[in-house]
Amino acid sequence: MQRMNVPWRHNGTGMTFPEVDDLSQRIDLQALRDYSNAVQARTREIVSQLNPNSLDAVMEADCLRLILVDEGLAHSQAEGLANGR
């Protein structure tokens, strides 16, 4: 977050237009590219080790809400993500 110069962790769903404008003005695009490349590399590493049967598991709503809302991955106005909406 610090390298990209963003003040929040969430993925952007539910952002207002002024919040998008602020993000567009402040974000360090090279840091965002570096982060994206690191996430892609780690995702490929994890996916290559997955057991296809493990993909059938469903995350409990309380656990999903904890990650998305309580830990700040989703915007505070996007709680519908935790409800499957």
Side-chain angles (χ1 to χ4, degrees):
M1 289 174 29
Q2 185 176 8
R3 288 184 207 157
M4 290 185 289
N5 195 31
V6 294
W8 52 81
R9 180 177 177 228
H10 67 73
N11 66 1
T13 300
M15 287 176 67
T16 64
F17 287 120
E19 289 173 324
V20 172
D21 289 343
D22 179 58
L23 176 63
S24 296
Q25 294 298 316
R26 75 169 52 233
I27 196 162
D28 180 323
L29 291 177
Q30 185 58 53
L32 176 61
R33 284 184 201 100
D34 294 344
Y35 174 74
S36 177
N37 289 336
V39 169
Q40 289 175 46
R42 180 68 176 131
T43 299
R44 284 196 277 299
E45 181 182 324
I46 291 169
V47 168
S48 71
Q49 298 171 17
L50 281 176
N51 175 335
N53 295 328
S54 67
L55 299 176
D56 292 331
V58 176
M59 186 177 288
E60 296 292 327
D62 289 341
C63 184
L64 185 59
R65 181 171 283 99
L66 174 75
I67 294 167
L68 292 176
V69 179
D70 298 343
E71 291 183 10
L73 184 59
H75 185 281
S76 62
Q77 300 302 314
E79 189 166 339
L81 287 172
N83 299 325
R85 289 184 257 144

